[in-house]
Amino acid sequence: MEVVPIPVDTYKLGFIGAGKMAESIAKGVVSAGVLPPSRICTAVHSNQSRRDAFQSFDVSVLSDNSAVVEDSDVVVFSVKPQVAKAVILQLKPMLTKRKLLVSVAAGVKLKDLQEWAGNDRFIRVMPNTPAAVGEAASVMSLGGTATVEDGELIAKLFGSVGKIWRADEKLFDAITGLSGSGPAYIFLAIEALADGGVAAGLPRELALGLASQTVLGAASMASKAGKHPGQLKDDVASPGGTTIAGIHELEKAGFRGILMNAVVAAAKRGRELA
């Protein structure tokens, strides 16, 4: 069947899987004005809290996954990786090339998604959990017959919950190790910074607030200042001052090597799971 362009001004978006990631994406799309909630749907079988979550911002909750596919031009599979095959095979007769298919299931490769669906108009996206606060770092890779216009549409959708890049799928394991797992490394760093503040005499609430805001501010500078992170670090570290004393301790403990090893280990585990 011929690939039919998705009607950009009127298309409908459906989520197969109504978990936190689907909710975050749908909320971002609505909040950014990319789509009204009336053009978004999902299906919830028995979990009332998930139904309530989507209905709280007026997204339609349908009876089953088949109804979602039937009512949607763009179908996002946001299910757990271990059930992706069964879900896609069940819906396969409905997954024609008139529909643009998207997967955010971690570790599930395009070649498998396309084979299960019998449709290579597929785009794989790797978002991360900060999508919940509109600050996702997402990467996408286009399948066989996904068009440039399809890519632009998905970039706009996921751009509503953060930033999105396009990359070859062969890089996705490394991307998983960095941006997929990376938020956990940063949460650990925030907790450790706050503990350090408490050890130095700060009240716990103040220490945690300062640690969180410091990481947020530093990340914003790294993203927007147009300087290499090493230069930004040098700008803070005065000769013989407090910051360089702290950096010295981090270097003695192998701080940078530890973070590098964490990314590589997570990437390796991603390849094993795939």
Side-chain angles (χ1 to χ4, degrees):
M1 181 182 290
E2 181 182 351
V3 173
V4 177
I6 301 296
V8 176
D9 295 329
T10 59
Y11 76 90
K12 293 185 176 182
L13 173 67
F15 289 90
I16 304 299
K20 293 287 189 180
M21 183 60 74
E23 180 189 350
S24 297
I25 297 166
K27 270 187 176 177
V29 166
V30 171
S31 297
V34 176
L35 288 180
S38 60
R39 284 164 51 192
I40 305 174
C41 66
T42 189
V44 177
H45 303 291
S46 58
N47 190 328
Q48 187 60 43
S49 66
R50 290 283 80 214
R51 178 182 294 273
D52 292 344
F54 280 87
Q55 290 181 333
S56 70
F57 57 104
D58 297 325
V59 164
S60 300
V61 180
L62 306 183
S63 57
D64 54 42
N65 288 337
S66 296
V68 172
V69 175
E70 185 176 358
D71 196 50
S72 303
D73 303 290
V74 179
V75 180
V76 178
F77 291 93
S78 53
V79 296
K80 295 184 185 302
Q82 58 267 34
V83 302
K85 181 177 182 179
V87 170
I88 293 172
L89 287 175
Q90 184 181 38
L91 297 169
K92 183 175 181 177
M94 305 178 69
L95 303 178
T96 70
K97 286 195 176 180
R98 289 184 174 276
K99 299 182 184 295
L100 172 59
L101 309 180
V102 181
S103 171
V104 297
V108 185
K109 297 188 181 301
L110 273 170
K111 66 178 180 62
D112 294 322
L113 294 165
Q114 293 172 163
E115 180 182 337
W116 301 336
N119 180 358
D120 58 359
R121 193 180 187 181
F122 233 118
I123 296 179
R124 181 181 171 191
V125 182
M126 178 70 196
N128 63 3
T129 55
V133 292
E135 293 293 349
S138 303
V139 183
M140 69 175 181
S141 183
L142 274 59
T145 58
T147 65
V148 172
E149 291 75 19
D150 290 342
E152 291 172 350
L153 184 151
I154 295 307
K156 187 173 183 180
L157 276 178
F158 283 83
S160 69
V161 292
K163 293 184 179 180
I164 184 164
W165 291 261
R166 182 171 171 179
D168 193 298
E169 192 188 23
K170 68 183 180 183
L171 301 176
F172 269 46
D173 290 326
I175 289 163
T176 298
L178 177 53
S179 60
S181 301
Y185 314 153
I186 302 305
F187 297 146
L188 198 63
I190 291 170
E191 183 183 32
L193 286 169
D195 283 347
V198 172
L202 294 177
R204 170 65 64 182
E205 186 176 355
L206 176 59
L208 184 56
L210 288 172
S212 300
Q213 184 62 32
T214 297
V215 170
L216 176 63
S220 185
M221 286 185 71
S223 176
K224 299 174 182 177
K227 291 184 177 181
H228 188 278
Q231 181 61 56
L232 292 172
K233 176 262 297 177
D234 289 348
D235 291 345
V236 185
S238 304
T242 59
T243 303
I244 197 64
I247 289 172
H248 189 197
E249 291 301 314
L250 292 173
E251 294 289 13
K252 285 195 292 185
F255 180 71
R256 285 191 286 187
I258 289 168
L259 283 178
M260 291 168 67
N261 288 343
V263 173
V264 172
K268 180 182 177 183
R269 183 59 177 154
R271 284 192 293 274
E272 292 170 353
L273 292 174

